[in-house]
Amino acid sequence: MLPVIFEQRMQSQLGAEYGAFREAFQGARHRALRVNPLKDGLGIGEGRDRFLSLSPWPLEPVPWEENGFYYDSGEPGRHPYHEAGVYYIQEPSAMAPAVFLGARPGERVLDLCAAPGGKTTQIAGMMGGRGLLVSNEIHPQRARILSENVERMGIRNALVLNETPERLAEDFAEYFDRVLVDAPCSGEGMFRKNEIAGEEWSPGNVEQCARRQDGILDCAVTMLRPGGRLVYSTCTFAPTENEGSVERLLRRHPEMEVVDPASCLPGEILPAEWGFAPGRPDWTVDQTADLRMTLRLWPHRLRGEGHYLAVLQKGGTFAGRALSAGGTQQGIREKDCGQYLEFAAETLTAAPEGSFLNFGEQLYLAPGDMPSLKGLHVLRPGLHLGTLKKNRFEPAHALALALGPGQVRRICPVSSGGESRGDIPRAEDYLGGLTFSCDGEKGWHLITVDGYSLGWGKLAAGTMKNHYPRGLRKM
């Protein structure tokens, strides 16, 4: 059941199209996954094609995301590939904003409202592990989920924060090349996916969300460098939160301008077959003509739940990269990481590069040019390498997921099927925390499923001790 006031507003907005829109809400929702290019299992950038050859389910491409695929059957969330970070289950229209953000390797990118992590992990794949990705979420529990997804997808260059946009704006004035604001909204595009979203909806909530979006966007503009790109998106249909939010932003910040989204795509063409519709200036107060260059993704025009997005650019001349208010984070010396270096020499063929940071016993590898973390609530300052014990080093699960088989000296494969293959144990048993017999050299082994890293095991006397994290085990 859709809220009556919502239906009345949508009928007024869409006119003759309302019947098709209403009918779309009666059908089954569209499900999709996005292949993680950071986990190709081969280290040669052929991850998507390799996954398609292994996929247990029929897949059909999502037109606007080269790594996105619809699925109608199966349960990808229960497969070992999911725990290995081979893909992220994501609503198909939600894949569009990051495509237009167009993040590149080596840039500084901010995902300001990042939980649960779909768009952050998509951006990370575009960056290829190079540059700095700051992923922020204001709500502590959702920030923890964000951090867990960053770990599962094997992302090395992400700084995960739990801060307010206002606090970040104090430290990062004109710091980022690109900023994504996937704003908290009234969630009208989630009515088919989540019945509670419909029950919690009200016109008052729409207005409250719009006011919150104004404040978030002001902070985003502050943190965007001159010439930088801002993408604003929501999963709602309310003009007040979509074209209205962009129009109010343009009033407050004349240095910002709406950019033709086609200019962000290869060939500078927006394919008609994608089904994207232009924004509607006639639904706003000022009826700003440039709002036609924003995009609406309607559920009756494409296979998705619906989205809105706008691409904006900040005027001015880029005079070079700014420092954060606290400067650059200072790392610790290599000689203070002796246990890790011994582990790396014995276990890895190619160790990840970066500067070392420690938080108590926990050792991290920070991406280059990491801003000062002083005064920030940090959940993940780069790649978690492991724990520095008194006489030994214990590698982190995050490190296993960030490595490929070609970067580790000892590999132990497990089977992705429901049954063991010969002497190869099942992935389900490993994920459940079981030990198993194994031949090989003693020491740390990377457990892999079909060539994808899954976690650590430590072999001694023919028994592989299971080091899959207890909190993730699936009995």
Side-chain angles (χ1 to χ4, degrees), residues 290-345:
D290 284 354
L291 294 174
R292 282 194 60 80
M293 291 192 291
T294 66
L295 296 175
R296 279 185 171 268
L297 283 64
W298 294 105
H300 61 289
R301 292 193 177 193
L302 50 78
R303 294 171 63 186
E305 301 305 297
H307 236 68
Y308 172 84
L309 70 90
V311 184
L312 301 105
Q313 183 168 310
K314 190 173 188 178
T317 302
F318 180 45
R321 286 186 162 177
L323 291 174
S324 69
T328 302
Q329 179 69 30
Q330 297 300 308
I332 63 174
R333 299 168 298 181
E334 282 195 6
K335 71 176 188 177
D336 296 324
C337 308
Q339 300 101 315
Y340 165 72
L341 296 176
E342 290 177 9
F343 161 85

Side-chain angles (χ1 to χ4, degrees), residues 178-452:
R178 299 174 196 262
V179 177
L180 174 65
V181 176
D182 185 50
C185 67
S186 57
E188 295 172 358
M190 295 293 102
F191 286 175
R192 177 165 57 174
K193 180 180 178 181
N194 183 358
E195 291 184 7
I196 296 177
E199 295 171 1
E200 294 180 345
W201 181 91
S202 71
N205 187 40
V206 170
E207 295 297 328
Q208 182 180 11
C209 288
R211 290 191 294 271
R212 184 186 303 125
Q213 289 154 7
D214 288 349
I216 294 171
L217 282 168
D218 286 343
C219 295
V221 170
T222 297
M223 292 185 278
L224 184 67
R225 69 161 173 84
R229 180 182 299 175
L230 167 65
V231 171
Y232 172 72
S233 64
T234 74
C235 61
T236 195
F237 306 116
T240 303
E241 299 179 70
N242 292 335
E243 291 93 345
S245 285
V246 176
E247 186 174 75
R248 294 190 301 275
L249 169 68
L250 295 174
R251 280 193 222 129
R252 298 190 307 273
H253 297 280
E255 73 274 25
M256 299 297 294
E257 63 175 347
V258 179
V259 174
D260 182 354
S263 67
C264 306
L265 302 175
E268 299 190 354
I269 296 174
L270 183 65
E273 60 269 23
W274 288 7
F276 293 2
R280 297 289 298 268
D282 52 313
W283 291 345
T284 68
V285 175
D286 297 342
Q287 299 191 11
T288 305
D290 284 354
L291 294 174
R292 282 194 60 80
M293 291 192 291
T294 66
L295 296 175
R296 279 185 171 268
L297 283 64
W298 294 105
H300 61 289
R301 292 193 177 193
L302 50 78
R303 294 171 63 186
E305 301 305 297
H307 236 68
Y308 172 84
L309 70 90
V311 184
L312 301 105
Q313 183 168 310
K314 190 173 188 178
T317 302
F318 180 45
R321 286 186 162 177
L323 291 174
S324 69
T328 302
Q329 179 69 30
Q330 297 300 308
I332 63 174
R333 299 168 298 181
E334 282 195 6
K335 71 176 188 177
D336 296 324
C337 308
Q339 300 101 315
Y340 165 72
L341 296 176
E342 290 177 9
F343 161 85
E346 178 191 341
T347 309
L348 308 181
T349 59
E353 296 181 354
S355 60
F356 295 113
L357 298 177
N358 70 315
F359 290 79
E361 293 183 329
Q362 304 308 312
L363 184 66
Y364 289 83
L365 195 69
D369 206 25
M370 172 73 89
S372 171
L373 305 179
K374 185 177 181 180
L376 296 173
H377 189 188
V378 179
L379 276 70
R380 188 174 295 271
L383 176 62
H384 187 197
L385 296 175
T387 306
L388 294 166
K389 302 287 188 178
K390 185 175 181 180
N391 297 311
R392 61 187 175 87
F393 176 81
E394 186 165 310
H397 184 57
L399 177 59
L401 295 175
L403 294 170
Q407 296 172 287
V408 181
R409 298 187 188 281
R410 295 180 289 273
I411 305 295
C412 178
V414 294
S415 169
S416 62
E419 299 181 357
S420 300
R421 297 200 308 265
D423 59 352
I424 300 179
R426 303 188 313 161
E428 288 83 352
D429 292 338
Y430 173 73
L431 295 173
L434 301 182
T435 60
F436 48 87
S437 298
C438 182
D439 295 328
E441 183 183 355
K442 71 176 183 178
W444 291 99
H445 288 240
L446 186 67
I447 309 299
T448 63
V449 55
D450 297 335
Y452 298 112

